């Protein structure tokens, strides 16, 4: 799959906005670095990850909680690792 269009990147950024500042900082840093190379599959997986509540997402991004089904796919884990780096 190809990289995201400008409108798809805008939608992903809008959808990534969270209630916790810590999540926003981690996700924004990730998007600033990687959004130009994200594929449509990556965007779909990020949208799935963003279904987590804010506290759970923060714990996953900090590495203090592991992903559970349906969020524990290899693709989502890869994106989480990029956000953690």
């Amino acid at each position: 799959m190809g990289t995201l269009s400008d409108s798809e990147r805008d939608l992903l950024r809008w959808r990534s906005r969270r209630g916790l500042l810590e999540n926003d900082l981690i996700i924004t840093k990730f998007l600033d670095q990687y959004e130009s190379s994200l594929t449509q599959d990556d965007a779909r997986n990020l949208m799935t990850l963003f279904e987590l509540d804010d506290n759970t997402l923060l714990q996953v991004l900090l590495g203090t909680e592991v992903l559970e089904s349906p969020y524990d796919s290899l693709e989502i884990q890869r994106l989480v690792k990029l956000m953690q780096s």
Side-chain angles (χ1 to χ4, degrees), residues 25-72:
L25 293 173
I26 293 168
I27 295 167
T28 298
K29 180 182 171 190
F30 165 79
L31 290 175
D32 287 348
Q33 185 170 358
Y34 294 104
E35 82 176 340
S36 64
S37 63
L38 294 175
T39 66
Q40 292 175 348
D41 284 340
D42 291 334
R44 226 179 342 272
N45 286 311
L46 285 168
M47 294 291 200
T48 299
L49 182 65
F50 296 157
E51 293 172 2
L52 291 171
D53 68 79
D54 285 336
N55 290 320
T56 302
L57 179 58
L58 180 59
Q59 295 308 311
V60 166
L61 294 177
L62 294 176
T64 60
E65 192 169 314
V66 295
L67 291 167
E68 296 181 6
S69 183
Y71 309 102
D72 64 349

